[in-house]
Amino acid sequence: WPFGTVNTVTVAGLRNLEGYPSSSVSLSFTTRAALANSMLYVGNATHGPIGERSAAAVNLQSSGVTQINFDGSRQGCGGARRVAVDPLTGTVWYGMMGTVSLYRVDMETNTALDPMLLDLETMHPVQGLILTDTDLCVAFGQAAWASYSRQNQLECRSRTTMQTVFKSTAGFLADASTMMTIGLRYLPFGTEKKLYALSADKASHFGEVWDGSGGIREGYEPGMKGEVTEIDATTYQVTKRYQVGSVPQGIDRDPVTGDLYVVNSGDRSLSVIARNGHVTTVSLATAFTGMQRPMRIRVDQPRKKFYVTDYLGGVVVFDLVTRREVTRLPVGVLPVDLTMSTDSLYVVAMSGTVTEIALSTLTVRRTFGGLGWNSYAIDLYDK
């Protein structure tokens, strides 16, 4: 039951001992609001030797930061690169790179709970962790060996019972022999409930190129296949596959038009998937400040803008209509992920900081530091 709501539970079909009446029993109750404040939850790609500073919680009212420590002695306490806040169950979920479990945090106390075991088969690379209306879904990427049975696999569990409701075979999200799934988002539109998986050509991923002076990383290889797979979140069947730019890293949806916006790290481009399925890919680089490595994107339809994190250069604001750069804001060193409320944009950087940007003025409102080492993922609980 969500926080702060009135609920009724009715139990029917009871059969009592002979001589005692049998009837339905109803009980109404109000859940209390366990959280009084809006919170940001951050996952750190690097943690201490015993799991300390694996994650952090940021109180947006007090600006206080709470360090969250996982048990590093447990098998699979890798870098926390995915995070999903579930107010329905009062749980924050963390997906690790190299794990046998999903890690979790109690939203009321901001302390670590026992991890939920995926399986003990091997160390899994969790490349996507999202919530649908009913389920918690995990996307698995590429392991170090070709025989890895969960490569590009999707698994979904009920948010309330944690029982598995869908588990695909390897290669469900993308071809397991040539592609590597690197992202997953739930982007419903109207009555459509759709998941979108991002996949890159294995030959392009993790390519690091240094210039002649050895000072600038150019990012992933351009000109390689990138793919977006659309999955029905009610039947868990693949409905469409779209070809986009090289190494798609982030995706978001225009809530008015339904168009999908995909940023591609490999060729510094934007692929727009229209409602009719037509894909248009345009460059995000300009003559003055080329995008070095676009990572994540959020569409702001009310202000006719979209925001992109540039791993090597801050957060970039684009005009939604012209798709031209409006301004660029510094947000710490090596920004990766971002999330958005009605009036603020929050950007997490691997320098261990979160920067809050006022959307009305496109200025930095405040910066939260001391989150941990190599902060990588972020999600918001907006009270």
Side-chain angles (χ1 to χ4, degrees), residues 207-221:
E208 295 284 356
V209 180
W210 296 83
D211 68 0
S213 64
I216 300 176
R217 282 176 289 181
E218 292 295 326
Y220 303 119
E221 294 292 338

Side-chain angles (χ1 to χ4, degrees), residues 72-211:
S73 65
R74 292 177 180 267
Q75 185 179 10
C77 183
R81 297 191 179 213
R82 308 291 171 183
V83 57
V85 175
D86 186 5
L88 177 69
T89 59
T91 306
V92 185
W93 294 94
Y94 285 89
M96 306 297 194
M97 282 298 291
T99 188
V100 296
S101 302
L102 294 180
Y103 280 68
R104 51 188 175 178
V105 169
D106 183 279
M107 291 177 65
E108 186 172 13
T109 62
N110 291 324
T111 56
L113 301 169
D114 285 338
M116 185 186 74
L117 181 68
L118 291 166
D119 62 55
L120 292 171
E121 174 195 3
T122 187
M123 301 291 278
H124 303 292
V126 174
Q127 290 282 34
L129 180 68
I130 58 91
L131 297 164
T132 71
D133 295 351
T134 57
D135 301 327
L136 172 71
C137 293
V138 182
F140 298 90
Q142 177 190 8
W145 50 93
S147 61
Y148 176 54
S149 64
R150 288 199 173 206
Q151 188 163 292
N152 298 348
Q153 182 195 60
L154 178 69
E155 179 179 350
C156 298
R157 301 185 181 212
S158 165
R159 289 166 63 179
T160 51
T161 68
M162 284 297 108
Q163 297 299 307
T164 298
V165 296
F166 178 77
K167 185 176 181 180
S168 77
T169 57
F172 174 80
L173 298 176
D175 178 65
S177 62
T178 61
M179 304 293 288
M180 174 182 177
T181 298
I182 55 177
L184 184 71
R185 284 205 70 192
Y186 176 54
L187 297 171
F189 182 72
T191 59
E192 296 181 2
K193 309 295 184 182
K194 298 293 177 65
L195 291 169
Y196 295 91
L198 306 175
S199 300
D201 191 303
K202 290 182 180 180
S204 67
H205 204 55
F206 296 125
E208 295 284 356
V209 180
W210 296 83
D211 68 0

Side-chain angles (χ1 to χ4, degrees), residues 21-357:
S22 179
S23 61
S24 62
V25 177
S26 293
L27 171 67
S28 295
F29 59 92
T30 301
T31 58
R32 64 187 177 90
L35 294 178
N37 300 305
S38 296
M39 304 287 292
L40 289 171
Y41 288 91
V42 173
N44 296 320
T46 307
H47 56 74
I50 56 173
E52 77 274 14
R53 298 166 71 94
S54 294
V58 179
N59 187 314
L60 291 177
Q61 275 64 49
S62 69
S63 299
V65 175
T66 301
Q67 295 288 340
I68 300 173
N69 303 321
F70 294 142
D71 185 353
S73 65
R74 292 177 180 267
Q75 185 179 10
C77 183
R81 297 191 179 213
R82 308 291 171 183
V83 57
V85 175
D86 186 5
L88 177 69
T89 59
T91 306
V92 185
W93 294 94
Y94 285 89
M96 306 297 194
M97 282 298 291
T99 188
V100 296
S101 302
L102 294 180
Y103 280 68
R104 51 188 175 178
V105 169
D106 183 279
M107 291 177 65
E108 186 172 13
T109 62
N110 291 324
T111 56
L113 301 169
D114 285 338
M116 185 186 74
L117 181 68
L118 291 166
D119 62 55
L120 292 171
E121 174 195 3
T122 187
M123 301 291 278
H124 303 292
V126 174
Q127 290 282 34
L129 180 68
I130 58 91
L131 297 164
T132 71
D133 295 351
T134 57
D135 301 327
L136 172 71
C137 293
V138 182
F140 298 90
Q142 177 190 8
W145 50 93
S147 61
Y148 176 54
S149 64
R150 288 199 173 206
Q151 188 163 292
N152 298 348
Q153 182 195 60
L154 178 69
E155 179 179 350
C156 298
R157 301 185 181 212
S158 165
R159 289 166 63 179
T160 51
T161 68
M162 284 297 108
Q163 297 299 307
T164 298
V165 296
F166 178 77
K167 185 176 181 180
S168 77
T169 57
F172 174 80
L173 298 176
D175 178 65
S177 62
T178 61
M179 304 293 288
M180 174 182 177
T181 298
I182 55 177
L184 184 71
R185 284 205 70 192
Y186 176 54
L187 297 171
F189 182 72
T191 59
E192 296 181 2
K193 309 295 184 182
K194 298 293 177 65
L195 291 169
Y196 295 91
L198 306 175
S199 300
D201 191 303
K202 290 182 180 180
S204 67
H205 204 55
F206 296 125
E208 295 284 356
V209 180
W210 296 83
D211 68 0
S213 64
I216 300 176
R217 282 176 289 181
E218 292 295 326
Y220 303 119
E221 294 292 338
M224 307 295 285
K225 180 181 177 181
E227 191 171 77
V228 174
T229 300
E230 180 184 87
I231 303 112
D232 189 304
T234 56
T235 64
Y236 291 115
Q237 298 299 307
V238 172
T239 52
K240 292 179 182 177
R241 296 189 194 271
Y242 302 98
Q243 302 306 304
V244 294
S246 180
V247 193
Q249 289 272 18
I251 185 171
D252 202 16
R253 170 163 254 157
D254 186 318
V256 174
T257 67
D259 293 346
L260 295 164
Y261 286 71
V262 183
V263 286
N264 309 299
S265 292
D267 48 21
R268 308 171 188 174
S269 68
L270 173 76
S271 294
V272 180
I273 305 172
R275 289 287 294 157
N276 62 8
H278 180 70
V279 180
T280 302
T281 299
V282 298
S283 174
L284 287 181
T286 70
F288 301 101
T289 52
M291 293 286 294
Q292 295 296 312
R293 189 183 295 177
M295 293 291 288
R296 305 286 190 267
I297 182 172
R298 287 293 182 275
V299 174
D300 184 359
Q301 171 60 237
R303 298 173 182 85
K304 298 296 186 289
K305 293 181 174 64
F306 64 91
Y307 313 107
V308 178
T309 50
D310 180 353
Y311 186 65
L312 301 181
V315 64
V316 189
V317 181
F318 288 89
D319 184 279
L320 188 59
V321 177
T322 66
R323 298 166 189 163
R324 299 292 295 175
E325 181 177 325
V326 174
T327 189
R328 181 178 293 247
L329 300 169
V331 287
V333 180
L334 305 181
V336 181
D337 204 2
L338 74 171
T339 188
M340 190 169 66
S341 67
T342 55
D343 60 354
S344 293
L345 185 73
Y346 301 95
V347 185
V348 67
M350 295 189 74
S351 51
T353 60
V354 169
T355 302
E356 180 182 0
I357 296 170

